[in-house]
Amino acid sequence: MRQSHASETEAVEQLIQFMPDIRRCHTVFSQLERQWTWIALTGKINCNAIAATLFDFIFKTRDTFGQLRKDMTAMLAEKLLEKAVREMSPVAQVVMDIIKRNLYERTADVSFLATDGEIISFLQGASTDVAALRSRLAAYRAKYSVYRDILVLDTQGRVCVQLDTRRPVSASSDPLVAQTLAASEFVETFRPTDLSPDGRAALVYSHVIRAEGAAEPLGVLCLVFDMDGEVADLFAGMARFAQDMVIMLLDSRGEAFASSDARQAPVGRTYARTPADSFAVSSSGNSTTLAVSRPSEGYQGYEGQAWQTHVLRPAQRAFASRPTEGLDVALVRREAGFSAQLTNIEEQASDVMGDLTLAALNGQIMAARQSGNARDDERHAAQALPPILDAVRKMGIEMEREFHFFTDGLLKTVTASRLNDASFLASITVEIMDRNLYERANDCRWWALTPDFRRILAQPAMDKNALARLENILEYINSYYTVYSNLFLYDAHGVVLACSQAAERGLYGQQINEDYVRRTLSLKDSDDFAVSPFRTTSLYHPKGKAQPTYVYSAPVFAPEGGQAVGGIGIVFDSLP
């Protein structure tokens, strides 16, 4: 395979054969220029005696039109290439950004789950019920469906509990265990590991497990990300915008570990990444492909893995003509930022046509004067000149018409592409927001299962120690999950008991008379939740003014189950 990071001019020359609009332009103008030459030669042969200078001008005019045609086709090709790359770049960037946002959430997950009371109690020996803890991990994965496996290891790397019993792991000698035990926060690892025994690179989030307030580690929690499931879902969501593209994820070495079409672009192969603001042209046999790579720009300070999205697009399809009906060309001409370049070429063509028309008119006058000449050759030339000049003028009109036709076509093509870009961005904005809000529903349902929440809210009264415990847990969660302006717990009457943010603790004792609270308290299943409408609420007041947002809410059940003893509300920080 040959891949070129050539200049745009070289790329255009390499790709122009795949641009049907350019081929049509070449064909039409080549035919017109040949006809022009035949007519002009006929005139020169028959009328040279009286109009040699005129026919020299006609040939020169043909050459001028030829140069304008070259300028126009060069611009057509440049804009078509720009259009093709511009359609690929947002796909590559959005895929990378969605992945990065997703993985940012995982760092919070592992940091919070490592403090889970039931996991800590198990490692301390207070419980030996492996099935119960596995059930606890299964309940977690049911809420956060992005994990393929969850493992709890002791400090020697022995697996105490594993969720995925189909691929059992008894112990790990992976260096990430020691690295995690020595780390103060989460560790992110992407490579083959004995924690995932299929031999492929796995993305593992790990965190040391300690009892609260203790320095000595009890073990290590490992969350194995479901890369196959997540990228398959992401690629499927992008398919309607990238029907003729193959999307891949490349690791730091440029090796593909995920592909939307493994037949065309297999995983395990290394691909040359393009500059962050450019593209490349690849050739293999009879196949020529456009390539675009885009890195992540990070998310809220999280950089994660040095991955890139790599998008491939067959040149044959990248430049295929697409319907552009319904576009008002006059409006496009007024509004399109690049139309001035095309208009300049059209104006030059009109100027040339004006000169040609004037020359033809002068030729007609000269022919009329010479028609009565005594010399036979001059008289015959004068009689032959008018129809030839008329044919030349018609050719000029046809040439000018074709200039307008092709420039109109390009304006419509590029504008349709930009409208499609706008449609893509509008749709993907909603998709990113939906993915974000899906995580919020997961969060509130899982946090509602926190053992201390269930135990304390089930008690008939709450003392200062219990309140401090609730506040500490809420504060800890909120410190990792920064998409919330506040987390709060309320009792079975909707009265606020505890908040994560000290500034919100004036809410204590207030009853929230909202429908989402009533719905939450009537729920019977920990998999259910309620959410407020997106509207202004006094619970969300960045910069001192109430703003619209969502409040997600899930029921908190007593340890033994039964009716909800309260709920947890999480206030989405909607403005940022």
Side-chain angles (χ1 to χ4, degrees), residues 22-333:
I22 302 299
R23 292 202 303 270
R24 281 195 294 271
C25 188
H26 277 308
T27 300
V28 167
F29 279 100
S30 293
Q31 289 174 349
L32 289 174
E33 287 169 16
R34 280 198 300 273
Q35 292 175 38
W36 186 302
T37 301
W38 295 336
I39 294 168
L41 282 174
T42 300
K44 195 168 184 67
I45 292 168
N46 290 282
C47 308
N48 202 52
I50 65 169
T53 303
L54 177 60
F55 282 103
D56 288 343
F57 176 77
I58 289 172
F59 277 110
K60 184 180 178 182
T61 303
R62 178 206 60 184
D63 294 342
T64 302
F65 268 124
Q67 185 57 52
L68 288 174
R69 186 256 297 175
K70 289 179 182 177
D71 293 345
M72 184 180 70
T73 53
M75 186 179 297
L76 283 168
E78 176 189 324
K79 293 301 179 184
L80 289 171
L81 175 57
E82 180 185 294
K83 176 187 84 73
V85 173
R86 194 180 60 246
E87 290 168 348
M88 298 167 67
S89 297
V91 170
Q93 193 64 63
V94 162
V95 167
M96 194 71 261
D97 289 346
I98 288 177
I99 284 284
K100 192 63 57 152
R101 282 170 173 261
N102 190 329
L103 300 186
Y104 170 73
E105 298 273 358
R106 312 296 58 96
T107 67
D109 290 350
V110 72
S111 300
F112 177 62
L113 189 58
T115 66
D116 186 78
E118 293 187 25
I119 295 176
I120 291 171
S121 294
F122 183 88
L123 289 176
Q124 288 175 323
S127 168
T128 58
D129 192 340
V130 172
L133 186 55
R134 184 176 289 123
S135 177
R136 172 80 171 161
L137 300 180
Y140 182 81
R141 187 173 66 178
K143 304 294 187 295
Y144 296 91
S145 56
V146 296
Y147 298 110
R148 180 159 56 84
D149 199 4
I150 303 175
L151 305 97
V152 177
L153 288 68
D154 66 16
T155 55
Q156 303 304 308
R158 293 184 291 261
V159 176
C160 302
V161 181
Q162 180 183 5
L163 182 56
D164 186 359
T165 56
R166 296 168 301 173
R167 292 180 284 191
V169 178
S170 59
S172 174
S173 58
D174 195 302
L176 76 83
V177 176
Q179 183 185 356
T180 305
L181 287 169
S184 59
E185 54 181 25
F186 73 91
V187 173
E188 182 179 338
T189 309
F190 180 67
R191 53 172 166 72
T193 170
D194 56 12
L195 291 164
S196 178
D198 59 6
R200 297 167 56 200
L203 181 63
V204 180
Y205 289 86
S206 55
H207 201 289
V208 64
I209 302 170
R210 291 188 177 91
E212 186 175 3
E216 195 67 23
L218 297 171
V220 171
L221 172 70
C222 296
L223 306 183
V224 183
F225 187 68
D226 181 14
M227 185 65 70
D228 291 342
E230 286 301 297
V231 297
D233 178 61
L234 179 54
F235 290 160
M238 299 297 292
R240 60 196 170 113
F241 304 108
Q243 293 177 350
D244 58 0
M245 304 178 202
V246 179
I247 308 170
M248 290 175 284
L249 294 177
L250 308 183
D251 64 17
S252 58
R253 299 166 301 170
E255 183 178 307
F257 61 87
S259 173
S260 64
D261 189 336
R263 182 181 58 82
Q264 291 190 61
V267 296
R269 180 181 294 176
T270 299
Y271 296 83
R273 290 167 291 184
T274 70
D277 58 350
S278 188
F279 65 94
V281 181
S282 303
S283 296
S284 178
N286 296 324
S287 174
T288 299
T289 305
L290 277 172
V292 165
S293 304
R294 294 294 180 265
S296 167
E297 298 175 353
Y299 183 65
Q300 293 199 9
Y302 168 72
E303 296 298 332
Q305 301 297 314
W307 294 346
Q308 290 195 14
T309 310
H310 193 65
V311 175
L312 298 178
R313 193 178 192 188
Q316 195 78 38
R317 301 186 65 181
F319 303 108
S321 297
R322 290 174 174 81
T324 56
E325 292 86 359
L327 288 174
D328 183 338
V329 177
L331 178 61
V332 169
R333 281 180 175 276

Side-chain angles (χ1 to χ4, degrees), residues 307-537:
W307 294 346
Q308 290 195 14
T309 310
H310 193 65
V311 175
L312 298 178
R313 193 178 192 188
Q316 195 78 38
R317 301 186 65 181
F319 303 108
S321 297
R322 290 174 174 81
T324 56
E325 292 86 359
L327 288 174
D328 183 338
V329 177
L331 178 61
V332 169
R333 281 180 175 276
R334 288 198 304 272
E335 300 299 331
F338 65 91
S339 63
Q341 299 169 271
L342 292 172
T343 302
N344 183 50
I345 292 177
E346 290 178 327
E347 288 174 350
Q348 291 182 63
S350 295
D351 290 344
V352 173
M353 187 58 205
D355 293 342
L356 180 64
T357 301
L358 182 58
L361 179 61
N362 289 331
Q364 297 271 12
I365 294 169
M366 180 179 63
R369 289 175 177 170
Q370 295 287 346
S371 62
N373 201 304
R375 287 176 54 184
D376 287 345
D377 61 335
E378 293 182 349
R379 189 171 63 254
H380 292 152
Q383 292 169 350
L385 185 57
I388 291 172
L389 290 176
D390 188 54
V392 168
R393 187 179 60 80
K394 288 179 179 177
M395 285 303 305
I397 292 171
E398 180 70 8
M399 194 81 81
E400 186 181 21
R401 189 186 72 81
E402 291 296 339
F403 270 104
H404 282 286
F405 174 79
F406 283 106
T407 52
D408 281 352
L410 178 62
L411 283 164
K412 289 195 289 186
T413 296
V414 174
T415 302
S417 172
R418 291 186 174 179
L419 289 172
N420 187 64
D421 293 345
S423 174
F424 168 73
L425 292 173
S427 297
I428 212 65
T429 297
V430 173
E431 171 136 348
I432 289 172
M433 201 66 193
D434 282 347
R435 285 173 174 270
N436 192 325
L437 297 179
Y438 170 73
E439 295 278 357
R440 312 296 60 94
N442 296 339
D443 288 346
C444 70
R445 291 182 298 160
W446 176 250
W447 297 335
L449 297 179
T450 302
D452 282 345
F453 291 172
R454 301 176 69 177
R455 175 180 58 81
I456 294 172
L457 264 64
Q459 294 172 357
M462 185 174 66
D463 59 24
K464 289 183 177 180
N465 290 334
L467 174 60
R469 178 63 181 157
L470 295 181
E471 289 176 342
N472 288 340
I473 296 173
L474 292 173
E475 281 181 14
Y476 182 79
I477 297 172
N478 208 167
S479 70
Y480 282 102
Y481 294 84
T482 56
V483 295
Y484 301 110
S485 67
N486 188 34
L487 314 178
F488 62 93
L489 288 163
Y490 55 88
D491 66 15
H493 304 287
V495 175
V496 177
L497 301 177
C499 290
S500 63
Q501 298 292 330
E504 300 297 317
R505 289 169 186 167
L507 293 170
Y508 289 2
Q510 292 187 28
Q511 187 177 45
I512 302 178
N513 293 309
E514 294 282 355
D515 182 62
Y516 66 84
V517 171
R518 287 187 287 273
R519 283 186 285 125
T520 298
L521 293 171
S522 68
L523 295 173
K524 306 297 182 185
D525 194 315
S526 64
D527 284 338
D528 292 332
F529 69 97
V531 60
S532 73
F534 186 78
R535 67 185 181 200
T536 301
T537 169

